[in-house]
Amino acid sequence: MTFHSILFERTEDRIKKETLEAPVFFVDLNLDQIIDAITAGRQEYHLQPFFYTPLNDIDAIKYRHEIMRDLENQTLFELIRSFAQQMHAMREYLARADKLYYKYQKER
């Protein structure tokens, strides 16, 4: 089983067809500004479709609410933030390693 996202309890519940554009009512409700503020500095994660695509299954909605409640725990939130920062650093190191020319630099 491949892990897709913490936002979905089961892999098969994940978004099958992402909504890539904000719904037209987002501007009227200023939701576009909220989403921009939430995702600022995190463009590499491509988070907007999670906000644009509606959940149609009540169990998926309940699960998402449980995740958000869990993230209100400051200790857990800081651990997740730390993990995300370390993963970001690792992706940067791997990207740099791909650009290196010499064999021993790449192995390092």
Side-chain angles (χ1 to χ4, degrees), residues 11-67:
T11 303
E12 57 270 13
D13 292 339
R14 74 186 205 291
I15 297 173
K16 306 218 178 2
K17 184 174 187 256
E18 296 177 340
T19 304
L20 300 177
E21 297 291 325
V24 291
F25 64 85
F26 267 45
V27 175
D28 294 338
L29 300 174
N30 290 326
L31 293 174
D32 58 329
Q33 295 175 25
I34 294 170
I35 302 307
D36 289 345
I38 291 171
T39 59
R42 296 176 178 89
Q43 287 76 9
E44 70 182 287
Y45 300 115
H46 189 60
L47 297 172
Q48 288 86 353
F50 288 109
F51 295 99
Y52 299 158
T53 307
L55 295 176
N56 297 316
D57 178 27
I58 191 70
D59 290 331
I61 294 168
K62 287 179 182 178
Y63 177 76
R64 185 77 56 92
H65 284 162
E66 290 172 10
I67 294 296

Side-chain angles (χ1 to χ4, degrees), residues 4 16 25 36 50 52 57 74 80 85 88 96 101:
H4 179 71
K16 306 218 178 2
F25 64 85
D36 289 345
F50 288 109
Y52 299 158
D57 178 27
Q74 193 63 32
I80 291 172
Q85 288 171 343
H88 176 76
R96 274 191 236 148
Y101 177 75

